[in-house]
Amino acid sequence: MLLRSPGLLLLLLSGLRAATQEKEVRAMVGSTVELKCIYPEENSFDLNDLYVYWQISGSNTVVTYYLPKNSSAGHENNHYKNRAHLSLDSMKQGDFSLSLQNVTPQDAQKFNCLVFRESLQLGKILEMEVSLHVAANYSLPVISTPSSESRDPELTFTCRSTNGYPRPNVYWINETDNSPLDKALQNDTVSLNSQGLYDVVSILRIPWTPNMNVGCCVENVLLHQNLTGRSQTERSSGTEGRITETPDSLQKEDNVVIFITLALLLVSVIVAVVIYMGKSKCPHRNYTGAQAATVVCELTGRG
Ligand SMILES: *[C@@H]1O[C@H](CO)[C@@H](O)[C@H](O)[C@H]1NC(C)=O
Ligand SMILES: *[C@@H]1O[C@H](CO)[C@@H](O)[C@H](O)[C@H]1NC(C)=O
Ligand SMILES: *[C@@H]1O[C@H](CO)[C@@H](O)[C@H](O)[C@H]1NC(C)=O
Ligand SMILES: *[C@@H]1O[C@H](CO)[C@@H](O)[C@H](O)[C@H]1NC(C)=O
Ligand SMILES: *[C@@H]1O[C@H](CO)[C@@H](O)[C@H](O)[C@H]1NC(C)=O
């Protein structure tokens, strides 16, 4: 062996300590993540010479471990039992990475990997720390407008989004000019649900404004993701105006268009009927109140 003197071993260990890397890993809830812990040089290891520990930094929580000759097993923390695995084949090649299945929000911890060799008087040959960040996608925010009584001087919007991680930031937006609304107008309630994920309800109260459009933006800082739900309200309607309605002014124009269209339709139907009757030589002159129709009928009658 190269390492005959303790001095040389110390030198090697301090060198390693300087090289100890801290890594950051991100995983989605429910996924499987690999926390890397790899011996820097090409190497081949004898499994009977290795002691490998994965634990939570700053606590004595054991995630999983490997001991030579399978001497004693079963001291893993229950939280990690059957979810944390080492690969014996990879370890022979110096890869002590941990595979962690079915990631939960509670796994957002710093993990510590320690590798010792029996042949080096149980000298530590590798130490690595991996920070696991856990994320879950928030649901698309849904805005509801409680059917406000028409005399209410305030508009109240409620925005809901569920099953996200980590804790969200909620912003309300004035959709008219895309400007952010004052944070003081909103009241957020963030709660942890039974799955350990966050649900958020944000209530916005603003002075009544006609045709007010707002957006509710839920930010997941870890995923660099902003999800925005949109709403619009009408003062008169008692419906739960969650999805956009056409604004009043436009609706009035629409009504006029519809009226004209209907009127034109009615006239053309009458004309068609009269033409038809004209072809049968206008036998039914007693058709009421349609002077124009009579004219057309007479014209076709002449031709
Ligand atoms: C370790 O020993 C247990 C029983 O004590 C056995 O079930 C298991 O397969 C062994 N594992 C290895 C890697 O040899
Ligand atoms: C998160 O959700 C949004 C919309 O619901 C979707 O577009 C996006 O792909 C999702 N991202 C992940 C990582 O699941
Ligand atoms: C939203 O923006 C419009 C246009 O800038 C402005 O007139 C209105 O007062 C704003 N509403 C609120 C509640 O800030
Ligand atoms: C926010 O809502 C909670 C629960 O409805 C209430 O207890 C609290 O007083 C509200 N805070 C503000 C500033 O309106
Ligand atoms: C999300 O919105 C916030 C507030 O408007 C902004 O600071 C942030 O940069 C946005 N993030 C992304 C990814 O768009």
PDB file of all heavy atoms in Angstrom, residues 243-273:
ATOM      1  N   ILE A 243     -65.410  32.673 -14.781  1.00  0.00           N
ATOM      2  CA  ILE A 243     -64.838  32.749 -16.110  1.00  0.00           C
ATOM      3  C   ILE A 243     -65.313  34.053 -16.735  1.00  0.00           C
ATOM      4  O   ILE A 243     -66.387  34.555 -16.439  1.00  0.00           O
ATOM      5  CB  ILE A 243     -65.284  31.545 -16.963  1.00  0.00           C
ATOM      6  CG1 ILE A 243     -64.865  30.241 -16.279  1.00  0.00           C
ATOM      7  CG2 ILE A 243     -64.703  31.615 -18.365  1.00  0.00           C
ATOM      8  CD1 ILE A 243     -63.375  30.048 -16.124  1.00  0.00           C
ATOM      9  N   THR A 244     -64.481  34.585 -17.603  1.00  0.00           N
ATOM     10  CA  THR A 244     -64.751  35.907 -18.145  1.00  0.00           C
ATOM     11  C   THR A 244     -66.091  36.005 -18.849  1.00  0.00           C
ATOM     12  O   THR A 244     -66.519  35.092 -19.540  1.00  0.00           O
ATOM     13  CB  THR A 244     -63.653  36.325 -19.135  1.00  0.00           C
ATOM     14  OG1 THR A 244     -63.456  35.238 -20.009  1.00  0.00           O
ATOM     15  CG2 THR A 244     -62.391  36.676 -18.410  1.00  0.00           C
ATOM     16  N   GLU A 245     -66.709  37.163 -18.631  1.00  0.00           N
ATOM     17  CA  GLU A 245     -67.952  37.503 -19.322  1.00  0.00           C
ATOM     18  C   GLU A 245     -67.617  38.675 -20.234  1.00  0.00           C
ATOM     19  O   GLU A 245     -66.673  39.415 -20.000  1.00  0.00           O
ATOM     20  CB  GLU A 245     -69.001  37.954 -18.302  1.00  0.00           C
ATOM     21  CG  GLU A 245     -69.503  36.844 -17.415  1.00  0.00           C
ATOM     22  CD  GLU A 245     -70.661  36.085 -18.043  1.00  0.00           C
ATOM     23  OE1 GLU A 245     -71.278  36.650 -18.964  1.00  0.00           O
ATOM     24  OE2 GLU A 245     -70.925  34.963 -17.612  1.00  0.00           O
ATOM     25  N   THR A 246     -68.440  38.863 -21.263  1.00  0.00           N
ATOM     26  CA  THR A 246     -68.208  40.008 -22.131  1.00  0.00           C
ATOM     27  C   THR A 246     -68.575  41.277 -21.366  1.00  0.00           C
ATOM     28  O   THR A 246     -69.608  41.307 -20.702  1.00  0.00           O
ATOM     29  CB  THR A 246     -69.105  39.915 -23.382  1.00  0.00           C
ATOM     30  OG1 THR A 246     -69.210  38.549 -23.718  1.00  0.00           O
ATOM     31  CG2 THR A 246     -68.544  40.704 -24.523  1.00  0.00           C
ATOM     32  N   PRO A 247     -67.740  42.321 -21.438  1.00  0.00           N
ATOM     33  CA  PRO A 247     -68.075  43.559 -20.719  1.00  0.00           C
ATOM     34  C   PRO A 247     -69.400  44.154 -21.207  1.00  0.00           C
ATOM     35  O   PRO A 247     -69.799  43.942 -22.349  1.00  0.00           O
ATOM     36  CB  PRO A 247     -66.910  44.491 -21.049  1.00  0.00           C
ATOM     37  CG  PRO A 247     -65.809  43.594 -21.512  1.00  0.00           C
ATOM     38  CD  PRO A 247     -66.456  42.389 -22.093  1.00  0.00           C
ATOM     39  N   ASP A 248     -70.007  44.969 -20.335  1.00  0.00           N
ATOM     40  CA  ASP A 248     -71.327  45.569 -20.589  1.00  0.00           C
ATOM     41  C   ASP A 248     -71.443  46.298 -21.927  1.00  0.00           C
ATOM     42  O   ASP A 248     -72.347  46.044 -22.700  1.00  0.00           O
ATOM     43  CB  ASP A 248     -71.650  46.568 -19.483  1.00  0.00           C
ATOM     44  CG  ASP A 248     -72.496  45.886 -18.412  1.00  0.00           C
ATOM     45  OD1 ASP A 248     -73.041  44.791 -18.677  1.00  0.00           O
ATOM     46  OD2 ASP A 248     -72.588  46.456 -17.329  1.00  0.00           O
ATOM     47  N   SER A 249     -70.501  47.212 -22.182  1.00  0.00           N
ATOM     48  CA  SER A 249     -70.604  48.052 -23.373  1.00  0.00           C
ATOM     49  C   SER A 249     -70.638  47.179 -24.628  1.00  0.00           C
ATOM     50  O   SER A 249     -71.450  47.381 -25.521  1.00  0.00           O
ATOM     51  CB  SER A 249     -69.424  49.020 -23.433  1.00  0.00           C
ATOM     52  OG  SER A 249     -68.224  48.284 -23.389  1.00  0.00           O
ATOM     53  N   LEU A 250     -69.730  46.208 -24.655  1.00  0.00           N
ATOM     54  CA  LEU A 250     -69.696  45.310 -25.799  1.00  0.00           C
ATOM     55  C   LEU A 250     -71.011  44.554 -25.930  1.00  0.00           C
ATOM     56  O   LEU A 250     -71.515  44.337 -27.016  1.00  0.00           O
ATOM     57  CB  LEU A 250     -68.553  44.312 -25.652  1.00  0.00           C
ATOM     58  CG  LEU A 250     -67.176  44.818 -26.058  1.00  0.00           C
ATOM     59  CD1 LEU A 250     -66.141  43.730 -25.880  1.00  0.00           C
ATOM     60  CD2 LEU A 250     -67.196  45.287 -27.513  1.00  0.00           C
ATOM     61  N   GLN A 251     -71.569  44.177 -24.764  1.00  0.00           N
ATOM     62  CA  GLN A 251     -72.772  43.388 -24.786  1.00  0.00           C
ATOM     63  C   GLN A 251     -73.938  44.173 -25.396  1.00  0.00           C
ATOM     64  O   GLN A 251     -74.737  43.631 -26.144  1.00  0.00           O
ATOM     65  CB  GLN A 251     -73.120  42.962 -23.367  1.00  0.00           C
ATOM     66  CG  GLN A 251     -73.744  41.590 -23.317  1.00  0.00           C
ATOM     67  CD  GLN A 251     -73.553  40.952 -21.961  1.00  0.00           C
ATOM     68  OE1 GLN A 251     -73.660  41.632 -20.937  1.00  0.00           O
ATOM     69  NE2 GLN A 251     -73.283  39.675 -21.939  1.00  0.00           N
ATOM     70  N   LYS A 252     -73.987  45.486 -25.087  1.00  0.00           N
ATOM     71  CA  LYS A 252     -75.050  46.319 -25.658  1.00  0.00           C
ATOM     72  C   LYS A 252     -74.938  46.351 -27.169  1.00  0.00           C
ATOM     73  O   LYS A 252     -75.909  46.198 -27.887  1.00  0.00           O
ATOM     74  CB  LYS A 252     -74.965  47.734 -25.075  1.00  0.00           C
ATOM     75  CG  LYS A 252     -75.828  47.874 -23.813  1.00  0.00           C
ATOM     76  CD  LYS A 252     -75.556  49.182 -23.101  1.00  0.00           C
ATOM     77  CE  LYS A 252     -75.936  49.081 -21.640  1.00  0.00           C
ATOM     78  NZ  LYS A 252     -75.128  49.960 -20.802  1.00  0.00           N
ATOM     79  N   GLU A 253     -73.688  46.508 -27.657  1.00  0.00           N
ATOM     80  CA  GLU A 253     -73.488  46.501 -29.103  1.00  0.00           C
ATOM     81  C   GLU A 253     -73.943  45.172 -29.683  1.00  0.00           C
ATOM     82  O   GLU A 253     -74.588  45.113 -30.716  1.00  0.00           O
ATOM     83  CB  GLU A 253     -72.011  46.732 -29.415  1.00  0.00           C
ATOM     84  CG  GLU A 253     -71.630  48.205 -29.329  1.00  0.00           C
ATOM     85  CD  GLU A 253     -70.133  48.405 -29.446  1.00  0.00           C
ATOM     86  OE1 GLU A 253     -69.496  47.583 -30.139  1.00  0.00           O
ATOM     87  OE2 GLU A 253     -69.622  49.355 -28.853  1.00  0.00           O
ATOM     88  N   ASP A 254     -73.600  44.123 -28.987  1.00  0.00           N
ATOM     89  CA  ASP A 254     -73.996  42.791 -29.426  1.00  0.00           C
ATOM     90  C   ASP A 254     -75.515  42.695 -29.548  1.00  0.00           C
ATOM     91  O   ASP A 254     -76.038  42.153 -30.517  1.00  0.00           O
ATOM     92  CB  ASP A 254     -73.521  41.737 -28.424  1.00  0.00           C
ATOM     93  CG  ASP A 254     -72.051  41.402 -28.636  1.00  0.00           C
ATOM     94  OD1 ASP A 254     -71.474  41.950 -29.593  1.00  0.00           O
ATOM     95  OD2 ASP A 254     -71.510  40.634 -27.840  1.00  0.00           O
ATOM     96  N   ASN A 255     -76.217  43.247 -28.550  1.00  0.00           N
ATOM     97  CA  ASN A 255     -77.672  43.198 -28.555  1.00  0.00           C
ATOM     98  C   ASN A 255     -78.256  43.866 -29.789  1.00  0.00           C
ATOM     99  O   ASN A 255     -79.168  43.341 -30.417  1.00  0.00           O
ATOM    100  CB  ASN A 255     -78.243  43.862 -27.299  1.00  0.00           C
ATOM    101  CG  ASN A 255     -78.012  42.988 -26.070  1.00  0.00           C
ATOM    102  OD1 ASN A 255     -77.657  41.815 -26.204  1.00  0.00           O
ATOM    103  ND2 ASN A 255     -78.191  43.561 -24.897  1.00  0.00           N
ATOM    104  N   VAL A 256     -77.691  45.053 -30.143  1.00  0.00           N
ATOM    105  CA  VAL A 256     -78.161  45.778 -31.322  1.00  0.00           C
ATOM    106  C   VAL A 256     -77.961  44.916 -32.569  1.00  0.00           C
ATOM    107  O   VAL A 256     -78.858  44.761 -33.391  1.00  0.00           O
ATOM    108  CB  VAL A 256     -77.410  47.126 -31.458  1.00  0.00           C
ATOM    109  CG1 VAL A 256     -77.737  47.787 -32.786  1.00  0.00           C
ATOM    110  CG2 VAL A 256     -77.753  48.030 -30.286  1.00  0.00           C
ATOM    111  N   VAL A 257     -76.763  44.340 -32.670  1.00  0.00           N
ATOM    112  CA  VAL A 257     -76.440  43.513 -33.826  1.00  0.00           C
ATOM    113  C   VAL A 257     -77.427  42.339 -33.918  1.00  0.00           C
ATOM    114  O   VAL A 257     -77.966  42.038 -34.995  1.00  0.00           O
ATOM    115  CB  VAL A 257     -74.987  42.991 -33.724  1.00  0.00           C
ATOM    116  CG1 VAL A 257     -74.722  41.927 -34.794  1.00  0.00           C
ATOM    117  CG2 VAL A 257     -74.016  44.152 -33.883  1.00  0.00           C
ATOM    118  N   ILE A 258     -77.678  41.742 -32.789  1.00  0.00           N
ATOM    119  CA  ILE A 258     -78.586  40.583 -32.764  1.00  0.00           C
ATOM    120  C   ILE A 258     -79.985  41.008 -33.208  1.00  0.00           C
ATOM    121  O   ILE A 258     -80.641  40.345 -34.017  1.00  0.00           O
ATOM    122  CB  ILE A 258     -78.628  39.952 -31.353  1.00  0.00           C
ATOM    123  CG1 ILE A 258     -77.302  39.252 -31.078  1.00  0.00           C
ATOM    124  CG2 ILE A 258     -79.785  38.976 -31.209  1.00  0.00           C
ATOM    125  CD1 ILE A 258     -77.110  38.808 -29.656  1.00  0.00           C
ATOM    126  N   PHE A 259     -80.450  42.181 -32.725  1.00  0.00           N
ATOM    127  CA  PHE A 259     -81.779  42.684 -33.068  1.00  0.00           C
ATOM    128  C   PHE A 259     -81.902  42.894 -34.574  1.00  0.00           C
ATOM    129  O   PHE A 259     -82.834  42.432 -35.213  1.00  0.00           O
ATOM    130  CB  PHE A 259     -82.048  43.995 -32.315  1.00  0.00           C
ATOM    131  CG  PHE A 259     -83.395  44.564 -32.621  1.00  0.00           C
ATOM    132  CD1 PHE A 259     -84.548  44.038 -32.023  1.00  0.00           C
ATOM    133  CD2 PHE A 259     -83.536  45.610 -33.523  1.00  0.00           C
ATOM    134  CE1 PHE A 259     -85.787  44.550 -32.320  1.00  0.00           C
ATOM    135  CE2 PHE A 259     -84.773  46.131 -33.811  1.00  0.00           C
ATOM    136  CZ  PHE A 259     -85.911  45.605 -33.212  1.00  0.00           C
ATOM    137  N   ILE A 260     -80.875  43.575 -35.146  1.00  0.00           N
ATOM    138  CA  ILE A 260     -80.894  43.857 -36.586  1.00  0.00           C
ATOM    139  C   ILE A 260     -80.891  42.543 -37.372  1.00  0.00           C
ATOM    140  O   ILE A 260     -81.647  42.348 -38.319  1.00  0.00           O
ATOM    141  CB  ILE A 260     -79.680  44.733 -36.983  1.00  0.00           C
ATOM    142  CG1 ILE A 260     -79.846  46.132 -36.373  1.00  0.00           C
ATOM    143  CG2 ILE A 260     -79.528  44.811 -38.502  1.00  0.00           C
ATOM    144  CD1 ILE A 260     -78.621  47.018 -36.516  1.00  0.00           C
ATOM    145  N   THR A 261     -80.045  41.635 -36.938  1.00  0.00           N
ATOM    146  CA  THR A 261     -79.954  40.347 -37.622  1.00  0.00           C
ATOM    147  C   THR A 261     -81.301  39.631 -37.617  1.00  0.00           C
ATOM    148  O   THR A 261     -81.767  39.129 -38.654  1.00  0.00           O
ATOM    149  CB  THR A 261     -78.908  39.451 -36.922  1.00  0.00           C
ATOM    150  OG1 THR A 261     -77.723  40.200 -36.775  1.00  0.00           O
ATOM    151  CG2 THR A 261     -78.630  38.200 -37.732  1.00  0.00           C
ATOM    152  N   LEU A 262     -81.930  39.638 -36.449  1.00  0.00           N
ATOM    153  CA  LEU A 262     -83.226  38.977 -36.327  1.00  0.00           C
ATOM    154  C   LEU A 262     -84.260  39.635 -37.228  1.00  0.00           C
ATOM    155  O   LEU A 262     -85.034  38.958 -37.916  1.00  0.00           O
ATOM    156  CB  LEU A 262     -83.705  39.006 -34.874  1.00  0.00           C
ATOM    157  CG  LEU A 262     -83.066  37.953 -33.965  1.00  0.00           C
ATOM    158  CD1 LEU A 262     -83.566  38.119 -32.541  1.00  0.00           C
ATOM    159  CD2 LEU A 262     -83.359  36.546 -34.474  1.00  0.00           C
ATOM    160  N   ALA A 263     -84.249  40.984 -37.246  1.00  0.00           N
ATOM    161  CA  ALA A 263     -85.210  41.724 -38.059  1.00  0.00           C
ATOM    162  C   ALA A 263     -85.023  41.378 -39.535  1.00  0.00           C
ATOM    163  O   ALA A 263     -85.992  41.104 -40.257  1.00  0.00           O
ATOM    164  CB  ALA A 263     -85.027  43.234 -37.842  1.00  0.00           C
ATOM    165  N   LEU A 264     -83.747  41.380 -39.977  1.00  0.00           N
ATOM    166  CA  LEU A 264     -83.458  41.051 -41.369  1.00  0.00           C
ATOM    167  C   LEU A 264     -83.922  39.638 -41.696  1.00  0.00           C
ATOM    168  O   LEU A 264     -84.506  39.382 -42.747  1.00  0.00           O
ATOM    169  CB  LEU A 264     -81.958  41.184 -41.644  1.00  0.00           C
ATOM    170  CG  LEU A 264     -81.447  42.622 -41.762  1.00  0.00           C
ATOM    171  CD1 LEU A 264     -79.929  42.648 -41.889  1.00  0.00           C
ATOM    172  CD2 LEU A 264     -82.092  43.329 -42.962  1.00  0.00           C
ATOM    173  N   LEU A 265     -83.664  38.756 -40.757  1.00  0.00           N
ATOM    174  CA  LEU A 265     -84.050  37.358 -40.935  1.00  0.00           C
ATOM    175  C   LEU A 265     -85.561  37.237 -41.107  1.00  0.00           C
ATOM    176  O   LEU A 265     -86.053  36.551 -42.006  1.00  0.00           O
ATOM    177  CB  LEU A 265     -83.591  36.571 -39.704  1.00  0.00           C
ATOM    178  CG  LEU A 265     -83.301  35.091 -39.937  1.00  0.00           C
ATOM    179  CD1 LEU A 265     -82.116  34.934 -40.878  1.00  0.00           C
ATOM    180  CD2 LEU A 265     -83.034  34.392 -38.621  1.00  0.00           C
ATOM    181  N   LEU A 266     -86.295  37.965 -40.249  1.00  0.00           N
ATOM    182  CA  LEU A 266     -87.752  37.919 -40.274  1.00  0.00           C
ATOM    183  C   LEU A 266     -88.252  38.410 -41.629  1.00  0.00           C
ATOM    184  O   LEU A 266     -89.086  37.775 -42.277  1.00  0.00           O
ATOM    185  CB  LEU A 266     -88.312  38.792 -39.147  1.00  0.00           C
ATOM    186  CG  LEU A 266     -89.823  38.736 -38.974  1.00  0.00           C
ATOM    187  CD1 LEU A 266     -90.237  37.349 -38.502  1.00  0.00           C
ATOM    188  CD2 LEU A 266     -90.306  39.788 -37.979  1.00  0.00           C
ATOM    189  N   VAL A 267     -87.696  39.544 -42.085  1.00  0.00           N
ATOM    190  CA  VAL A 267     -88.104  40.115 -43.368  1.00  0.00           C
ATOM    191  C   VAL A 267     -87.847  39.121 -44.491  1.00  0.00           C
ATOM    192  O   VAL A 267     -88.711  38.881 -45.333  1.00  0.00           O
ATOM    193  CB  VAL A 267     -87.360  41.447 -43.635  1.00  0.00           C
ATOM    194  CG1 VAL A 267     -87.544  41.886 -45.084  1.00  0.00           C
ATOM    195  CG2 VAL A 267     -87.833  42.516 -42.662  1.00  0.00           C
ATOM    196  N   SER A 268     -86.634  38.524 -44.485  1.00  0.00           N
ATOM    197  CA  SER A 268     -86.342  37.615 -45.595  1.00  0.00           C
ATOM    198  C   SER A 268     -87.227  36.381 -45.564  1.00  0.00           C
ATOM    199  O   SER A 268     -87.578  35.838 -46.614  1.00  0.00           O
ATOM    200  CB  SER A 268     -84.848  37.243 -45.626  1.00  0.00           C
ATOM    201  OG  SER A 268     -84.404  36.966 -44.333  1.00  0.00           O
ATOM    202  N   VAL A 269     -87.588  35.928 -44.346  1.00  0.00           N
ATOM    203  CA  VAL A 269     -88.503  34.791 -44.265  1.00  0.00           C
ATOM    204  C   VAL A 269     -89.847  35.168 -44.883  1.00  0.00           C
ATOM    205  O   VAL A 269     -90.410  34.437 -45.695  1.00  0.00           O
ATOM    206  CB  VAL A 269     -88.690  34.334 -42.793  1.00  0.00           C
ATOM    207  CG1 VAL A 269     -89.883  33.408 -42.669  1.00  0.00           C
ATOM    208  CG2 VAL A 269     -87.429  33.633 -42.298  1.00  0.00           C
ATOM    209  N   ILE A 270     -90.302  36.378 -44.504  1.00  0.00           N
ATOM    210  CA  ILE A 270     -91.588  36.839 -45.040  1.00  0.00           C
ATOM    211  C   ILE A 270     -91.512  36.929 -46.560  1.00  0.00           C
ATOM    212  O   ILE A 270     -92.405  36.447 -47.284  1.00  0.00           O
ATOM    213  CB  ILE A 270     -91.964  38.209 -44.430  1.00  0.00           C
ATOM    214  CG1 ILE A 270     -92.267  38.014 -42.926  1.00  0.00           C
ATOM    215  CG2 ILE A 270     -93.142  38.836 -45.164  1.00  0.00           C
ATOM    216  CD1 ILE A 270     -92.404  39.316 -42.163  1.00  0.00           C
ATOM    217  N   VAL A 271     -90.403  37.521 -47.040  1.00  0.00           N
ATOM    218  CA  VAL A 271     -90.223  37.658 -48.484  1.00  0.00           C
ATOM    219  C   VAL A 271     -90.267  36.286 -49.147  1.00  0.00           C
ATOM    220  O   VAL A 271     -90.962  36.074 -50.131  1.00  0.00           O
ATOM    221  CB  VAL A 271     -88.875  38.377 -48.786  1.00  0.00           C
ATOM    222  CG1 VAL A 271     -88.519  38.240 -50.270  1.00  0.00           C
ATOM    223  CG2 VAL A 271     -88.973  39.841 -48.390  1.00  0.00           C
ATOM    224  N   ALA A 272     -89.547  35.351 -48.551  1.00  0.00           N
ATOM    225  CA  ALA A 272     -89.499  34.006 -49.133  1.00  0.00           C
ATOM    226  C   ALA A 272     -90.890  33.388 -49.192  1.00  0.00           C
ATOM    227  O   ALA A 272     -91.284  32.811 -50.206  1.00  0.00           O
ATOM    228  CB  ALA A 272     -88.555  33.126 -48.297  1.00  0.00           C
ATOM    229  N   VAL A 273     -91.606  33.553 -48.081  1.00  0.00           N
ATOM    230  CA  VAL A 273     -92.962  32.990 -48.019  1.00  0.00           C
ATOM    231  C   VAL A 273     -93.829  33.608 -49.114  1.00  0.00           C
ATOM    232  O   VAL A 273     -94.530  32.917 -49.862  1.00  0.00           O
ATOM    233  CB  VAL A 273     -93.585  33.234 -46.627  1.00  0.00           C
ATOM    234  CG1 VAL A 273     -95.088  32.994 -46.658  1.00  0.00           C
ATOM    235  CG2 VAL A 273     -92.913  32.346 -45.584  1.00  0.00           C
TER     236      VAL A 273
END
